[in-house]
Amino acid sequence: MGTEVEVSEPLIEKIAAVNDEEEEADQPIPEWKDQITIRGLVASAIMGTLFCIITHKLNLTVGIIPSLNVAAGLLGFFLVKSWTSFLSKLGFSIKPFTRQENTVIQTCVVACYGLAFSGGFGSSLLAMDERTYQLIGADYPGNRAEDVKNPGLGWMIGFVVVVSFLGLFSLVPLRKVMILDYKLTYPSGTATAMLINSFHTNTGAELAGKQVRCLGKYLSISFFWSCFKWFFSGVGNSCGFDNFPSFGLTLFKNTFYFDFSPTYVGCGLICPHIVNCSVLLGAIISWGFLWPFISQHAGDWYPADLGSNDFKGLYGYKVFIAISLILGDGLYNLIKIITITVKEMWNRSTKDSKLPFVNDIQDTETSKLLLEQKKREIVFLKDGIPTWFAASGYVGLAAISTATIPTIFPPLKWYLVLCSYLIAPALAFCNSYGTGLTDWNLASTYGKIGLFIIASLVGTDGGVIAGLAACGVMMSIVSTAADLMQDFKTGYLTLSSAKSMFVSQLLGTAMGCVIAPLTFWMYWTAFDIGSPDGPYKAPYAVIFREMAILGIEGFSELPKHCLALCCGFFVAALVINLLRDATPTKISQFIPVPMAMAVPFYIGAYFAIDMFVGTVILFIWELVNRKDSEDYAGAVASGLICGDGIWTIPSAILSIFRVNPPVCMYFGPAVGS
C-alpha cells in the first residue's frame, strides 16, 4: 500500500552527498554491462521467488501488501556479500560488490515480485474462476456460467508475457523529463537509494550487517513458529492457533481474535500507524456494529434462511459496502492526483521563464553538492535508451498483444485491446507522475476504470471476462511504468546507468513472467483458494467479479437498503479523504484511511487485531528507543514476513501430498451449554 510522503530534492542530494562523499572519490563507476552480473541475477531469482510467494500469500488472504523494498535491499546485500566473502576465503579473486550491482539486484527483484500483484493473480484473473462464479450464485443476474475461466499455468504465463513488458517501453523516453527536469521525488525510490548508498559506506556496512543478523533471527523465529502452528491445525478450517478465541467465544464468532500470524504482525510493523488503526476501526464498525445490526433484520431486509455466502443476504452487504468504500477512496485519489499533476505542470511551465540567476561564487558545501548533482546527471544520461527503440518496442509488443489476448479471452476483441494500448501511455504517465509526487501508486484504480468501461461496452455476452481481462492489461502497464520510474530515480541517486536499470527491469519482468504464475500455481494446487471459510479467502476475486457484473447489470439485484448504505459509505469515503487533505497535519494524522478501512468489512477483524499488535509494538519501541526502532523495525518486520512466507513452501508440499497435521486444537462451546 502506498502512503503519502514528502521528501524535498535538495535534502535528497544533501544526504546522498554526505553518505557518498568519502567513498566515491576513489570508486570508479562500472560500465553498464558490468553492473549486471550472473551472481546478481541468481540472487534476484532467489529473492524474486521468495517475494512472489509472500505477495501471493498476502494477496490471497487479506489483500494488503506492504512495501518489501527494505527487505529486498537488505537480503540482496546479504546474499552477495555472503557469497563473495565465502569465495574469497577459498582463495578466489572476486569482483567487488558495488552499489550499482546492489541497485540492479533491487530493481530486478521489485520487477519480478511486482508482477505477482499487478498480474491480477489475486484479483482480476482469479475473479474468472469457477469458485468465484459459484460464490456469487448461478442464479445471480449477469453472473453466467459461460463467463468462467479457471486458472491454467499455460494461459497465465502467456497472458503476463504479452502484457507485462509494454509498461516498460511506454515511458522510457520521458525518464529525463521526470527525473531531471521535473525533479520528481519518488519517495520509495529515494529511500531505497539512501539505503543502498548507506550499505556501501563503512558505517553503513556495519549497520547493514547488524540489520541482516536481526532479519535472520526473526526470520528463523517466524519460520519455526509457523511450523509449530501447523502441527495443531488439523483438518478443515476450525483448528489451531489460527482459530484461537483470544477474547472469548462471543467475539470469536464476530472474527475478533488474535490469530498469532507473524506475517500480519510484520505488516503492522511496516505499515504506518494510521493505516493499522484505520484497518482496526473498519473492523470495529463492520463486525462490531454494522453486521450484527443488519443480521437482526434477517427475514425483513433479506430472507432469513439464506446460506452465509449468499449474495442476496448478509454476504451481499459485506461485499458491496466494501466495494463502495474502495471506489470512493480510489475515485477521490485519482481526481486528487490528476489535479496535483495538472497544477504542478502548469506551475512549471509558468516558472521556466523566471529561473533564478545562479551566482558563480558559492560556498564549498554548495559547490560540492552541485558537482555531485552534475556527476549524477552525466552518469544518468551517459548510456541512453534511444527513443526509436522504446517506440518500436511498444508498437511491436502492442501488435503481438493485440493479436494474442483475444485468443486467450475471446470476448475481449482486438479493437478493444488496441484502444487500451492507445490510451495506456497517457494513463501510465499520470500514474507515474502522481507516484513521483505522493508515492501513491493507483494502478488498481486505473484497472477498475478499464474494468467498468470494457464490461459495459461488451455487455451481457462476455462482458465479465472482457472487463476482468482489460483490468489485468491496464493494471500491468500502469504499474510497471510507475515501478520503472521509481527505479530510474534509485539508479540516478546511486550513480547507476539508466541502461542497466532498464535491462535489469526487463530481466526481472522476464523472471516474474515465469516465477509469479508458478508460485501462484503452488498455492492453487496446494490450498483451497477462494473458500470464504478458509484462510485463503482471495477477497478481491469476488469484489472484482462483482464490479464487472455491476458494470453490465447496474444495481438492480442488491438486497434491501444495500444501495442506500453503499451510497452512504461511498460519500463517507470522499468526505473522510477531503478532511484528511483539508485539515492541518496535526489533525489529519489522526483521520483514518478509507481504503484501509474497507478491507476488514469483507474479510473479518482477525488480521486487523494482528496488525494493531504490530503497530502497538512499534509505538512502544519508538517511545523507548526511537533510533533503534528506525534502524531495526524494518528488519524485524521483514524477518517475520519472510519466515512465514518460506514456511508456505513446505506447507504447500505437505498439502499436495495430502499429509495432514497430526493434531486439531479446537475451541468451542461446552457440550450441552
Side-chain angles (χ1 to χ4, degrees), residues 252-271:
F252 178 76
K253 277 181 198 163
N254 280 351
T255 73
F256 283 94
Y257 58 91
F258 179 61
D259 78 343
F260 298 92
S261 165
T263 296
Y264 305 148
V265 175
C267 288
L269 282 165
I270 292 179
C271 290

PDB file of all heavy atoms in Angstrom, residues 252-271:
ATOM      1  N   PHE A 252     -15.195 -14.120  19.166  1.00  0.00           N
ATOM      2  CA  PHE A 252     -14.610 -15.012  18.146  1.00  0.00           C
ATOM      3  C   PHE A 252     -15.593 -15.217  16.990  1.00  0.00           C
ATOM      4  O   PHE A 252     -15.197 -15.233  15.828  1.00  0.00           O
ATOM      5  CB  PHE A 252     -14.243 -16.355  18.785  1.00  0.00           C
ATOM      6  CG  PHE A 252     -13.683 -17.356  17.812  1.00  0.00           C
ATOM      7  CD1 PHE A 252     -12.383 -17.249  17.345  1.00  0.00           C
ATOM      8  CD2 PHE A 252     -14.459 -18.418  17.347  1.00  0.00           C
ATOM      9  CE1 PHE A 252     -11.862 -18.165  16.444  1.00  0.00           C
ATOM     10  CE2 PHE A 252     -13.946 -19.341  16.446  1.00  0.00           C
ATOM     11  CZ  PHE A 252     -12.643 -19.210  15.998  1.00  0.00           C
ATOM     12  N   LYS A 253     -16.902 -15.348  17.331  1.00  0.00           N
ATOM     13  CA  LYS A 253     -17.927 -15.530  16.286  1.00  0.00           C
ATOM     14  C   LYS A 253     -17.966 -14.334  15.338  1.00  0.00           C
ATOM     15  O   LYS A 253     -18.288 -14.469  14.168  1.00  0.00           O
ATOM     16  CB  LYS A 253     -19.311 -15.702  16.938  1.00  0.00           C
ATOM     17  CG  LYS A 253     -19.593 -17.120  17.386  1.00  0.00           C
ATOM     18  CD  LYS A 253     -20.983 -17.192  17.986  1.00  0.00           C
ATOM     19  CE  LYS A 253     -21.128 -18.450  18.828  1.00  0.00           C
ATOM     20  NZ  LYS A 253     -22.281 -18.362  19.725  1.00  0.00           N
ATOM     21  N   ASN A 254     -17.640 -13.152  15.878  1.00  0.00           N
ATOM     22  CA  ASN A 254     -17.604 -11.938  15.052  1.00  0.00           C
ATOM     23  C   ASN A 254     -16.195 -11.646  14.542  1.00  0.00           C
ATOM     24  O   ASN A 254     -15.882 -10.500  14.208  1.00  0.00           O
ATOM     25  CB  ASN A 254     -18.133 -10.737  15.842  1.00  0.00           C
ATOM     26  CG  ASN A 254     -19.646 -10.709  15.880  1.00  0.00           C
ATOM     27  OD1 ASN A 254     -20.299 -11.494  15.187  1.00  0.00           O
ATOM     28  ND2 ASN A 254     -20.214  -9.841  16.687  1.00  0.00           N
ATOM     29  N   THR A 255     -15.357 -12.668  14.491  1.00  0.00           N
ATOM     30  CA  THR A 255     -13.976 -12.656  13.940  1.00  0.00           C
ATOM     31  C   THR A 255     -12.992 -11.782  14.728  1.00  0.00           C
ATOM     32  O   THR A 255     -11.918 -11.460  14.225  1.00  0.00           O
ATOM     33  CB  THR A 255     -13.944 -12.238  12.437  1.00  0.00           C
ATOM     34  OG1 THR A 255     -14.205 -10.848  12.322  1.00  0.00           O
ATOM     35  CG2 THR A 255     -14.918 -13.049  11.594  1.00  0.00           C
ATOM     36  N   PHE A 256     -13.348 -11.405  15.975  1.00  0.00           N
ATOM     37  CA  PHE A 256     -12.395 -10.650  16.792  1.00  0.00           C
ATOM     38  C   PHE A 256     -11.543 -11.622  17.610  1.00  0.00           C
ATOM     39  O   PHE A 256     -11.962 -12.119  18.657  1.00  0.00           O
ATOM     40  CB  PHE A 256     -13.127  -9.681  17.739  1.00  0.00           C
ATOM     41  CG  PHE A 256     -13.627  -8.449  17.054  1.00  0.00           C
ATOM     42  CD1 PHE A 256     -14.921  -8.389  16.560  1.00  0.00           C
ATOM     43  CD2 PHE A 256     -12.804  -7.343  16.877  1.00  0.00           C
ATOM     44  CE1 PHE A 256     -15.394  -7.259  15.911  1.00  0.00           C
ATOM     45  CE2 PHE A 256     -13.272  -6.203  16.228  1.00  0.00           C
ATOM     46  CZ  PHE A 256     -14.567  -6.162  15.746  1.00  0.00           C
ATOM     47  N   TYR A 257     -10.360 -11.919  17.100  1.00  0.00           N
ATOM     48  CA  TYR A 257      -9.413 -12.776  17.822  1.00  0.00           C
ATOM     49  C   TYR A 257      -8.016 -12.560  17.270  1.00  0.00           C
ATOM     50  O   TYR A 257      -7.854 -12.071  16.147  1.00  0.00           O
ATOM     51  CB  TYR A 257      -9.810 -14.257  17.721  1.00  0.00           C
ATOM     52  CG  TYR A 257      -9.919 -14.797  16.316  1.00  0.00           C
ATOM     53  CD1 TYR A 257      -8.829 -15.395  15.683  1.00  0.00           C
ATOM     54  CD2 TYR A 257     -11.125 -14.716  15.593  1.00  0.00           C
ATOM     55  CE1 TYR A 257      -8.935 -15.895  14.393  1.00  0.00           C
ATOM     56  CE2 TYR A 257     -11.235 -15.206  14.306  1.00  0.00           C
ATOM     57  CZ  TYR A 257     -10.135 -15.798  13.707  1.00  0.00           C
ATOM     58  OH  TYR A 257     -10.225 -16.285  12.419  1.00  0.00           O
ATOM     59  N   PHE A 258      -7.007 -12.895  18.066  1.00  0.00           N
ATOM     60  CA  PHE A 258      -5.611 -12.781  17.635  1.00  0.00           C
ATOM     61  C   PHE A 258      -5.209 -14.140  17.075  1.00  0.00           C
ATOM     62  O   PHE A 258      -5.306 -15.144  17.769  1.00  0.00           O
ATOM     63  CB  PHE A 258      -4.739 -12.401  18.837  1.00  0.00           C
ATOM     64  CG  PHE A 258      -3.277 -12.287  18.510  1.00  0.00           C
ATOM     65  CD1 PHE A 258      -2.830 -11.358  17.578  1.00  0.00           C
ATOM     66  CD2 PHE A 258      -2.345 -13.097  19.130  1.00  0.00           C
ATOM     67  CE1 PHE A 258      -1.479 -11.247  17.279  1.00  0.00           C
ATOM     68  CE2 PHE A 258      -0.989 -12.998  18.833  1.00  0.00           C
ATOM     69  CZ  PHE A 258      -0.557 -12.065  17.906  1.00  0.00           C
ATOM     70  N   ASP A 259      -4.760 -14.167  15.798  1.00  0.00           N
ATOM     71  CA  ASP A 259      -4.517 -15.489  15.195  1.00  0.00           C
ATOM     72  C   ASP A 259      -3.027 -15.858  15.103  1.00  0.00           C
ATOM     73  O   ASP A 259      -2.656 -16.771  14.378  1.00  0.00           O
ATOM     74  CB  ASP A 259      -5.212 -15.607  13.829  1.00  0.00           C
ATOM     75  CG  ASP A 259      -4.464 -14.898  12.726  1.00  0.00           C
ATOM     76  OD1 ASP A 259      -3.600 -14.067  13.037  1.00  0.00           O
ATOM     77  OD2 ASP A 259      -4.745 -15.168  11.540  1.00  0.00           O
ATOM     78  N   PHE A 260      -2.185 -15.119  15.854  1.00  0.00           N
ATOM     79  CA  PHE A 260      -0.757 -15.481  16.002  1.00  0.00           C
ATOM     80  C   PHE A 260      -0.034 -15.554  14.652  1.00  0.00           C
ATOM     81  O   PHE A 260       0.827 -16.408  14.455  1.00  0.00           O
ATOM     82  CB  PHE A 260      -0.602 -16.822  16.742  1.00  0.00           C
ATOM     83  CG  PHE A 260      -1.148 -16.803  18.125  1.00  0.00           C
ATOM     84  CD1 PHE A 260      -2.463 -17.175  18.384  1.00  0.00           C
ATOM     85  CD2 PHE A 260      -0.356 -16.400  19.192  1.00  0.00           C
ATOM     86  CE1 PHE A 260      -2.979 -17.149  19.670  1.00  0.00           C
ATOM     87  CE2 PHE A 260      -0.860 -16.372  20.488  1.00  0.00           C
ATOM     88  CZ  PHE A 260      -2.169 -16.746  20.730  1.00  0.00           C
ATOM     89  N   SER A 261      -0.369 -14.656  13.725  1.00  0.00           N
ATOM     90  CA  SER A 261       0.261 -14.687  12.405  1.00  0.00           C
ATOM     91  C   SER A 261       1.459 -13.737  12.360  1.00  0.00           C
ATOM     92  O   SER A 261       1.279 -12.518  12.469  1.00  0.00           O
ATOM     93  CB  SER A 261      -0.739 -14.279  11.326  1.00  0.00           C
ATOM     94  OG  SER A 261      -0.067 -13.985  10.124  1.00  0.00           O
ATOM     95  N   PRO A 262       2.678 -14.277  12.178  1.00  0.00           N
ATOM     96  CA  PRO A 262       3.858 -13.395  12.081  1.00  0.00           C
ATOM     97  C   PRO A 262       3.760 -12.432  10.891  1.00  0.00           C
ATOM     98  O   PRO A 262       4.237 -11.310  10.955  1.00  0.00           O
ATOM     99  CB  PRO A 262       5.029 -14.367  11.882  1.00  0.00           C
ATOM    100  CG  PRO A 262       4.529 -15.708  12.283  1.00  0.00           C
ATOM    101  CD  PRO A 262       3.053 -15.693  12.060  1.00  0.00           C
ATOM    102  N   THR A 263       3.120 -12.889   9.804  1.00  0.00           N
ATOM    103  CA  THR A 263       3.016 -12.042   8.605  1.00  0.00           C
ATOM    104  C   THR A 263       2.247 -10.755   8.900  1.00  0.00           C
ATOM    105  O   THR A 263       2.700  -9.657   8.577  1.00  0.00           O
ATOM    106  CB  THR A 263       2.314 -12.799   7.459  1.00  0.00           C
ATOM    107  OG1 THR A 263       3.122 -13.905   7.080  1.00  0.00           O
ATOM    108  CG2 THR A 263       2.107 -11.919   6.242  1.00  0.00           C
ATOM    109  N   TYR A 264       1.079 -10.877   9.528  1.00  0.00           N
ATOM    110  CA  TYR A 264       0.259  -9.687   9.764  1.00  0.00           C
ATOM    111  C   TYR A 264       0.866  -8.786  10.834  1.00  0.00           C
ATOM    112  O   TYR A 264       0.747  -7.561  10.767  1.00  0.00           O
ATOM    113  CB  TYR A 264      -1.177 -10.075  10.145  1.00  0.00           C
ATOM    114  CG  TYR A 264      -1.866 -10.979   9.146  1.00  0.00           C
ATOM    115  CD1 TYR A 264      -2.805 -11.923   9.547  1.00  0.00           C
ATOM    116  CD2 TYR A 264      -1.564 -10.901   7.792  1.00  0.00           C
ATOM    117  CE1 TYR A 264      -3.427 -12.761   8.636  1.00  0.00           C
ATOM    118  CE2 TYR A 264      -2.177 -11.739   6.872  1.00  0.00           C
ATOM    119  CZ  TYR A 264      -3.102 -12.672   7.301  1.00  0.00           C
ATOM    120  OH  TYR A 264      -3.700 -13.497   6.391  1.00  0.00           O
ATOM    121  N   VAL A 265       1.518  -9.382  11.838  1.00  0.00           N
ATOM    122  CA  VAL A 265       2.217  -8.567  12.843  1.00  0.00           C
ATOM    123  C   VAL A 265       3.346  -7.797  12.158  1.00  0.00           C
ATOM    124  O   VAL A 265       3.555  -6.605  12.413  1.00  0.00           O
ATOM    125  CB  VAL A 265       2.757  -9.443  14.005  1.00  0.00           C
ATOM    126  CG1 VAL A 265       3.595  -8.609  14.973  1.00  0.00           C
ATOM    127  CG2 VAL A 265       1.603 -10.106  14.755  1.00  0.00           C
ATOM    128  N   GLY A 266       4.054  -8.485  11.240  1.00  0.00           N
ATOM    129  CA  GLY A 266       5.109  -7.829  10.463  1.00  0.00           C
ATOM    130  C   GLY A 266       4.563  -6.694   9.617  1.00  0.00           C
ATOM    131  O   GLY A 266       5.159  -5.616   9.530  1.00  0.00           O
ATOM    132  N   CYS A 267       3.405  -6.929   8.978  1.00  0.00           N
ATOM    133  CA  CYS A 267       2.756  -5.857   8.191  1.00  0.00           C
ATOM    134  C   CYS A 267       2.441  -4.659   9.087  1.00  0.00           C
ATOM    135  O   CYS A 267       2.597  -3.502   8.682  1.00  0.00           O
ATOM    136  CB  CYS A 267       1.463  -6.356   7.557  1.00  0.00           C
ATOM    137  SG  CYS A 267       1.723  -7.503   6.201  1.00  0.00           S
ATOM    138  N   GLY A 268       1.997  -4.948  10.311  1.00  0.00           N
ATOM    139  CA  GLY A 268       1.700  -3.881  11.271  1.00  0.00           C
ATOM    140  C   GLY A 268       2.924  -3.061  11.635  1.00  0.00           C
ATOM    141  O   GLY A 268       2.838  -1.861  11.892  1.00  0.00           O
ATOM    142  N   LEU A 269       4.101  -3.715  11.648  1.00  0.00           N
ATOM    143  CA  LEU A 269       5.352  -3.008  11.942  1.00  0.00           C
ATOM    144  C   LEU A 269       5.796  -2.128  10.773  1.00  0.00           C
ATOM    145  O   LEU A 269       6.453  -1.113  10.965  1.00  0.00           O
ATOM    146  CB  LEU A 269       6.465  -4.016  12.258  1.00  0.00           C
ATOM    147  CG  LEU A 269       6.458  -4.646  13.658  1.00  0.00           C
ATOM    148  CD1 LEU A 269       7.365  -5.860  13.696  1.00  0.00           C
ATOM    149  CD2 LEU A 269       6.908  -3.635  14.703  1.00  0.00           C
ATOM    150  N   ILE A 270       5.469  -2.541   9.536  1.00  0.00           N
ATOM    151  CA  ILE A 270       5.894  -1.785   8.351  1.00  0.00           C
ATOM    152  C   ILE A 270       4.903  -0.684   7.995  1.00  0.00           C
ATOM    153  O   ILE A 270       5.287   0.435   7.699  1.00  0.00           O
ATOM    154  CB  ILE A 270       6.072  -2.722   7.130  1.00  0.00           C
ATOM    155  CG1 ILE A 270       7.267  -3.650   7.334  1.00  0.00           C
ATOM    156  CG2 ILE A 270       6.276  -1.922   5.849  1.00  0.00           C
ATOM    157  CD1 ILE A 270       7.505  -4.617   6.183  1.00  0.00           C
ATOM    158  N   CYS A 271       3.606  -1.012   8.005  1.00  0.00           N
ATOM    159  CA  CYS A 271       2.590  -0.029   7.598  1.00  0.00           C
ATOM    160  C   CYS A 271       2.536   1.123   8.605  1.00  0.00           C
ATOM    161  O   CYS A 271       2.734   0.911   9.805  1.00  0.00           O
ATOM    162  CB  CYS A 271       1.215  -0.683   7.509  1.00  0.00           C
ATOM    163  SG  CYS A 271       1.074  -1.835   6.127  1.00  0.00           S
TER     164      CYS A 271
END
